[in-house]
């Protein structure tokens, strides 16, 4: 969208265009550049300024409605249809599914190898140094770092979900269609199974001996504690995803380089630090499912429901909180008043 203002002067059009172009490529914030332009020339003719006039506190922009102010300085994408038959005919749809499969495969391969490597290096039965290996901090970095890398690589293709809980939250917010959400989840789960299968194929003895990276409720913790850890951990992740990809944030912080995969990766890192001692940190049903399928022990399957119910509840709460409280989606739908947050 383009802001318009009336300006007037004896300065030639060529000189005006030159000034405008130099300010467009300058490092000054948009509102400062416009003030400098107006200061150099009194009002006469209509100029199309290439940046929206942004208020950091209110949803305000300069518009063409008789000099009045319109309500927003950003544009929300339209809601995704519940079922979109047209996307089934597009190569981009299948390309995105393949990207989700490969990304989840790589995610499980690297992270499960890290977990098994840490356990093998600190096994007291083999007189290993209990302080050796990467430690919990290193495991958390492996998970968070891989999410950062893979979201960065696949965000422009599939959105970089790599997690059925993230896909579910975005579906509830009408960011993806039902068909795409289901296909993403299937691809993610298959990718997780294949990723863990590669780990077992390459290190079968270590894989079985050190638990296969499967998520299980740790001794001493109740089921409620484990479920709560998964709900809150997934809430943190999905809330971060919504915040990092919010079109309002992108519009208002357009002059600041924001790399969305970075906060998402850090959210995964921080949640792992907090919940590895409790559940081994699921917050990703595909990650828990793939490890349980390849590991195949009863304990991993007995606790499996925690790693589906918890993340889905956490994702749903995060979607509701961001869309209907922070973004006042319910209020906007009713037409009662507009958001000024």
């Amino acid at each position: 969208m383009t802001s318009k203002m009336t300006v007037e002067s004896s300065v030639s059009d060529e000189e005006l265009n030159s000034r405008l172009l130099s300010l467009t490529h300058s490092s000054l914030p948009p509102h400062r550049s416009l003030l400098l332009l107006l200061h150099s020339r009194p009002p006469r003719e209509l100029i199309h300024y290439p940046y929206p006039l942004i208020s950091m506190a209110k949803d305000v922009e300069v518009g063409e409605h008789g000099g009045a102010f319109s309500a927003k300085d950003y544009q929300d994408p339209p809601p995704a249809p519940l079922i979109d038959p047209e996307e089934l005919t597009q190569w981009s749809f299948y390309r995105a599914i393949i990207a989700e499969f490969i990304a989840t495969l790589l995610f499980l391969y690297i992270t499960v190898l890290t977990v098994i490597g840490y356990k093998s290096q600190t096994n007291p039965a083999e007189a290993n140094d209990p302080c050796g290996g990467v430690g919990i901090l290193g495991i958390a970095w492996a998970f968070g770092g891989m999410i950062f890398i893979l979201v960065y690589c696949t965000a422009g293709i599939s959105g970089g979900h790599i997690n059925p809980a993230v896909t579910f939250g975005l579906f509830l917010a009408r960011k993806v269609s039902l068909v795409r959400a289901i296909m993403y989840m299937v691809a993610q789960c298959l990718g997780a199974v294949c990723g863990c299968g590669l780990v077992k194929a390459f290190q079968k003895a270590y894989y079985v001996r050190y638990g296969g990276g499967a998520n299980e409720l740790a001794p001493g913790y109740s089921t409620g504690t484990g479920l709560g850890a998964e709900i809150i951990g997934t809430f943190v992740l999905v809330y971060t995803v919504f915040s990092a990809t919010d079109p309002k944030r992108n519009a208002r912080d357009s002059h600041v380089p924001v790399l969305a995969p970075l906060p998402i990766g850090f959210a995964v890192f921080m949640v792992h630090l907090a919940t590895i001692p409790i559940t081994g940190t699921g917050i990703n049903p595909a990650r828990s499912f793939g490890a349980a399928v390849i590991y195949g022990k009863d304990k991993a399957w007995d606790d499996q429901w925690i790693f589906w119910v918890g993340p889905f509840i956490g994702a749903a709460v995060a979607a509701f909180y961001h869309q209907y409280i922070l973004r006042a989606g319910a209020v906007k739908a009713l037409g009662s008043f507009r958001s000024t947050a």
Side-chain angles (χ1 to χ4, degrees):
M1 66 187 71
T2 300
S3 300
K4 296 184 178 179
M5 287 221 170
T6 303
V7 298
E8 168 189 339
S9 169
S10 58
V11 178
S12 67
D13 291 338
E14 291 77 8
E15 184 177 349
L16 177 64
N17 289 335
S18 176
R19 292 180 186 179
L20 185 56
L21 183 61
S22 65
L23 290 172
T24 300
H25 295 286
S26 72
S27 59
L28 291 173
H31 66 281
R32 293 287 301 277
S33 299
L34 182 59
L35 289 175
L36 287 175
L37 178 65
L38 296 178
H39 182 69
S40 67
R41 177 172 183 175
R44 178 178 65 90
E45 61 189 30
L46 192 64
I47 291 179
H48 294 270
Y49 185 63
Y51 291 105
L53 296 180
I54 297 174
S55 165
M56 298 304 290
K58 296 183 178 181
D59 299 345
V60 175
E61 70 178 355
V62 177
E64 299 182 69
H65 310 291
F69 290 90
S70 60
K72 292 195 296 186
D73 57 10
Y74 63 95
Q75 185 66 41
D76 281 315
L82 183 62
I83 298 176
D84 185 6
E86 183 179 350
E87 68 182 355
L88 296 175
T89 65
Q90 298 172 347
W91 165 242
S92 60
F93 174 71
Y94 299 99
R95 180 183 63 186
I97 294 172
I98 295 171
E100 287 293 311
F101 170 82
I102 296 297
T104 314
L105 183 154
L106 294 174
F107 176 61
L108 267 293
Y109 176 73
I110 296 297
T111 54
V112 171
L113 268 179
T114 304
V115 172
I116 292 175
Y118 164 68
K119 289 184 176 181
S120 68
Q121 291 171 327
T122 58
N123 185 4
E126 297 182 1
N128 290 331
D129 181 5
C131 296
V134 297
I136 289 180
L137 183 65
I139 294 173
W141 271 122
F143 279 88
M146 280 303 293
I147 287 296
F148 167 67
I149 293 168
L150 294 170
V151 171
Y152 179 84
C153 292
T154 61
I157 301 171
S158 65
H161 297 191
I162 322 173
N163 185 336
V166 171
T167 301
F168 181 66
L170 294 173
F171 166 70
L172 293 180
R174 300 291 302 278
K175 305 292 185 183
V176 296
S177 68
L178 177 62
V179 174
R180 184 176 291 265
I182 292 174
M183 293 304 294
Y184 273 20
M185 292 181 190
V186 171
Q188 290 155 1
C189 289
L190 290 176
V193 171
C194 292
C196 291
L198 285 178
V199 177
K200 186 174 182 179
F202 294 152
Q203 297 192 12
K204 185 172 183 179
Y206 278 3
Y207 187 89
V208 175
R209 187 185 311 168
Y210 297 112
N215 287 122
E216 298 175 356
L217 186 63
Y221 291 98
S222 68
T223 300
T225 300
L227 184 63
E230 290 296 308
I231 291 173
I232 296 173
T234 311
F235 174 88
V236 171
L237 170 59
V238 178
Y239 175 42
T240 304
V241 169
F242 275 106
S243 298
T245 59
D246 191 342
K248 179 189 288 189
R249 175 183 296 276
N250 292 338
R252 294 180 173 182
D253 295 346
S254 59
H255 60 288
V256 178
V258 177
L259 192 59
L262 185 59
I264 296 172
F266 263 105
V268 173
F269 167 69
M270 296 303 296
V271 171
H272 274 75
L273 285 182
T275 60
I276 282 176
I278 304 173
T279 61
T281 307
I283 68 171
N284 183 335
R287 175 259 186 275
S288 303
F289 176 76
V293 168
I294 301 301
Y295 184 53
K297 302 298 183 181
D298 290 342
K299 175 62 174 172
W301 284 113
D302 290 343
D303 296 338
Q304 183 67 198
W305 70 272
I306 296 175
F307 304 104
W308 284 86
V309 174
F312 273 39
I313 292 176
V317 174
F320 176 83
Y321 175 65
H322 185 269
Q323 294 295 106
Y324 295 101
I325 297 179
L326 297 186
R327 293 295 301 276
V331 172
K332 291 176 183 176
L334 294 173
S336 301
F337 59 86
R338 64 190 183 194
S339 170
T340 57

